[in-house]
Amino acid sequence: MLKEKGSIYALSSSLNEIYYALHNHYMNEKDARGSIREIAEVFDLVDLTGPIVFDALYSDEPDYEDGLIRAAAEALQVDAIISYDKKAFKKSDIPTLTAKEALALSG
C-alpha cells in the first residue's frame, strides 16, 4: 500500500503467515526469523487496531484478510493497494494494482 513516494505498508499480521510458510516449507527457524527481520525493515508495518479489525469484520469484502487490508488502506488513505488479486477490493475507492503495475508507475 503506497502512501508517500517510497513508503510501502504491510500489515504486521501478514508477517505471521510469511514466517509460517518460510519455516515450515523452506528454511529453519533461525533463517526464517532472519528473513522476517529483513522484510520488516523494508515495509512500514501497520498494527491492527480495534477500529481496523471492526471495519474489516463489517466490510463487504468476502475474505477477512482482504477486509483487513482494505480497512487499513482506507484508514491510512494510501494511493493504491498492491495485490496479485485484481478482483479483490472492488468496492474500495482505493485502486488495486499488481506489483508489476505499481513498479511501472514508480519508474
Side-chain angles (χ1 to χ4, degrees), residues 51-61 63-64 66-69 71:
I52 290 174
V53 169
F54 280 104
D55 284 350
L57 289 170
Y58 289 106
S59 79
D60 51 8
E61 291 294 336
D63 180 81
Y64 175 65
D66 288 349
L68 288 172
I69 293 167

Side-chain angles (χ1 to χ4, degrees), residues 13 62 76 97:
S13 62
L76 290 166
L97 304 172

Side-chain angles (χ1 to χ4, degrees), residues 15-34:
L15 297 180
N16 296 340
E17 295 174 36
I18 297 167
Y19 168 81
Y20 178 84
L22 290 175
H23 180 245
N24 287 303
H25 300 289
Y26 300 105
M27 57 186 63
N28 64 39
E29 161 73 13
K30 182 179 177 185
D31 292 340
R33 281 182 183 248

Side-chain angles (χ1 to χ4, degrees), residues 45-106:
L45 298 178
V46 178
D47 293 326
L48 296 180
T49 62
I52 290 174
V53 169
F54 280 104
D55 284 350
L57 289 170
Y58 289 106
S59 79
D60 51 8
E61 291 294 336
D63 180 81
Y64 175 65
E65 182 71 18
D66 288 349
L68 288 172
I69 293 167
R70 178 181 164 189
E74 290 174 351
L76 290 166
Q77 299 177 341
V78 299
D79 295 327
I81 298 171
I82 311 302
S83 175
Y84 66 89
D85 185 0
K86 289 284 289 189
K87 294 178 182 178
F89 317 109
K90 280 186 176 182
K91 296 182 181 180
S92 177
D93 293 333
I94 298 173
T96 303
L97 304 172
T98 64
K100 187 175 183 178
E101 290 169 336
L103 287 172
L105 289 174
S106 69

